[in-house]
Amino acid sequence: GSFRKDKRHGFGVTWQADQSIYVGTYKLAEKAGRGLTIYPDGKVELGRFKADKNVAAEGLSTVTERYTNTQIKSVRQFDGKVRHGKWETYFKNGQKESQGLYERGKLSGKWQFWYENGNQRAVGLFKEGLRNGPWTYWYESGQPWMQGGYQKSKSCGTYTCWSPQGQKAACPRELTRDGCALTATGAKWQPGAQ
């Protein structure tokens, strides 16, 4: 790397005290702009820095965590230290485990979950960190298990359930909470029906 006023300045590669390697730019010895940190366990972080430590980095940073140097464990985005943006996790076998978004630290929008064998486990919506709207769940075999809805993470509306063999079955429970009735029926669940 190059130096200005006896301080690292410009592009450089630095072996740090924690055994990680930083590849990026410096402004008078402070990390500045975009940089990549590679940790001994294979974890890789892509960050965006300002030279002034008292000012938070602008924009999203993406953190990729790995089981090994090649196998991805998770891909996460942050706005400063707050979870914001894409969020994905993976099983050790490479199959995706979950995928969704965070908005200002809270789960948001469509989230999907899978079993280690690659079959869908669940799909549903979040609003401000709470389950809100239609959700569908599957058995590990890939057969549907349950469909229903949520309002502020409380079960609402009519739920439909199936046995592992694909036959309509009784849902695990019935409950009423805060005006939200969960009723086990054989009728097909309609999104938005409450």
Side-chain angles (χ1 to χ4, degrees):
S2 58
F3 291 82
R4 181 186 288 175
K5 298 180 184 177
D6 294 325
K7 295 183 179 181
R8 185 174 297 279
H9 189 81
F11 179 79
V13 177
T14 307
W15 280 259
Q16 302 179 108
D18 64 358
Q19 304 298 315
S20 65
I21 301 169
Y22 174 75
V23 180
T25 55
Y26 290 87
K27 183 176 180 182
L28 298 175
E30 298 291 334
K31 294 177 183 176
R34 294 187 185 274
L36 178 72
T37 305
I38 306 166
Y39 294 93
D41 65 358
K43 180 179 167 186
V44 177
E45 288 183 358
L46 176 65
R48 188 170 174 187
F49 304 93
K50 283 192 171 182
D52 182 352
K53 289 182 180 179
N54 297 321
V55 179
E58 294 178 356
L60 292 181
S61 62
T62 301
V63 175
T64 302
E65 187 176 9
R66 298 179 182 274
Y67 288 109
T68 65
N69 287 338
T70 58
Q71 183 60 51
I72 294 174
K73 182 176 184 179
S74 65
V75 178
R76 307 172 315 234
Q77 290 185 315
F78 295 86
D79 188 358
K81 292 183 178 181
V82 177
R83 295 175 181 188
H84 188 81
K86 179 174 73 170
W87 203 269
E88 295 177 351
T89 60
Y90 295 84
F91 292 105
K92 280 188 176 182
N93 68 4
Q95 292 290 337
K96 193 175 282 187
E97 181 179 17
S98 67
Q99 173 181 309
L101 296 173
Y102 275 90
E103 284 188 21
R104 295 177 302 283
K106 295 182 179 180
L107 298 162
S108 181
K110 181 179 178 180
W111 272 78
Q112 297 179 80
F113 303 89
W114 291 269
Y115 289 101
E116 198 166 359
N117 67 10
N119 287 340
Q120 188 92 52
R121 181 181 208 141
V123 64
L125 301 173
F126 282 93
K127 183 176 180 181
E128 297 180 3
L130 302 173
R131 288 181 287 182
N132 208 59
W135 275 76
T136 302
Y137 300 88
W138 289 267
Y139 290 102
E140 193 169 357
S141 67
Q143 291 288 336
W145 172 53
M146 184 169 64
Q147 285 184 325
Y150 291 90
Q151 234 176 19
K152 297 182 180 179
S153 284
K154 294 180 181 173
S155 303
C156 291
T158 301
Y159 274 53
T160 303
C161 298
W162 294 269
S163 71
Q165 296 75 32
Q167 305 298 317
K168 286 192 178 173
C171 288
R173 63 182 186 263
E174 288 187 11
L175 58 93
T176 301
R177 195 182 311 164
D178 295 335
C180 294
L182 166 63
T183 308
T185 72
K188 184 169 174 79
W189 185 80
Q190 298 295 319
Q194 298 294 324

